Amino acid sequence: MAIQINGNGTITGISVGGLPDGVVDSDMLANTVTTGKILNVVTATTSTQQSNTSTTFASSGLSATITPSATTSKILVLSSSSINMIGDGNSSSGRQCLLRLYRGDHTGTALSTARIGISAQGSANTAPENNEMGAFAYLDSPNTTSSTTYTVAIAKHDNNAIIYAQKGGSYTSSITLLEVGA
């Protein structure tokens, strides 16, 4: 079918994908279409060692605070945590620990949990076999314009183990908060 430009402002004879790139932009689309824009970015890092010997979550020392500019904004949380574990000395197998992302402090609203397997051979007085990184990528809808904190917490999953975040101050963990406009 031939392309025809009618006198009333319509064009006929065009199929899907028939226009060259750049002909239709966001101004030509429906008013309900929105494009997300990054409105605010906050980053925090820590290399301060934290430890936990409990199955109850405790702060890993990694947190950041952002103040959304609109209640419709979403917050994209990106975090990377350095985790070590010292085993119980009763097993030559690896162990597991838990990371949890909270809105608020480590007693706030739990958003996501990750389980990390770590080779933790040896006694309680020996160094762990390796260091692992635990990461979160989470899109939150806090529905507020108040200051909002996001915290990463740690807990052990196995008995008689010690979980370390940023062990010995030799490792750095980071968290980045991106406010995405609606």
Side-chain angles (χ1 to χ4, degrees):
M1 173 178 209
I3 296 176
Q4 295 179 355
I5 301 175
N6 302 321
N8 62 3
T10 62
I11 301 174
T12 58
I14 297 176
S15 61
V16 174
L19 293 176
D21 287 342
V23 172
V24 177
D25 60 12
S26 60
D27 292 337
M28 295 181 70
L29 298 174
N31 290 339
T32 58
V33 175
T34 58
T35 55
K37 293 182 181 178
I38 303 301
L39 304 175
N40 191 6
V41 177
V42 174
T43 299
T45 62
T46 185
S47 56
T48 302
Q49 177 178 296
Q50 300 292 327
S51 64
N52 190 2
T53 60
S54 173
T55 56
T56 300
F57 282 93
S59 176
S60 69
L62 183 60
S63 68
T65 302
I66 193 167
T67 304
S69 58
T71 58
T72 57
S73 292
K74 297 189 181 306
I75 305 298
L76 178 60
V77 181
L78 305 172
S79 73
S80 179
S81 299
S82 172
I83 304 296
N84 283 301
M85 181 186 296
I86 294 180
D88 61 7
N90 296 322
S91 173
S92 61
S93 63
R95 293 287 182 237
Q96 296 179 5
C97 70
L98 301 173
L99 287 180
R100 183 168 285 166
L101 177 64
Y102 286 92
R103 184 186 318 122
D105 66 11
H106 68 279
T107 62
T109 302
L111 300 175
S112 185
T113 303
R115 187 181 305 189
I116 300 173
I118 296 178
S119 175
Q121 302 170 3
S123 69
N125 295 318
T126 62
E129 293 287 321
N130 59 2
N131 176 65
E132 297 291 337
M133 295 302 287
F136 286 107
Y138 187 87
L139 187 61
D140 188 31
S141 300
N143 194 31
T144 186
T145 56
S146 297
S147 175
T148 305
T149 299
Y150 292 87
T151 302
V152 177
I154 55 174
K156 70 177 187 174
H157 185 265
D158 297 301
N159 292 327
N160 301 318
I162 303 171
I163 306 298
Y164 289 97
Q166 306 85 233
K167 186 163 187 338
S170 301
Y171 302 99
T172 301
S173 297
S174 66
I175 186 168
T176 300
L177 310 175
L178 295 96
E179 179 186 1
V180 181

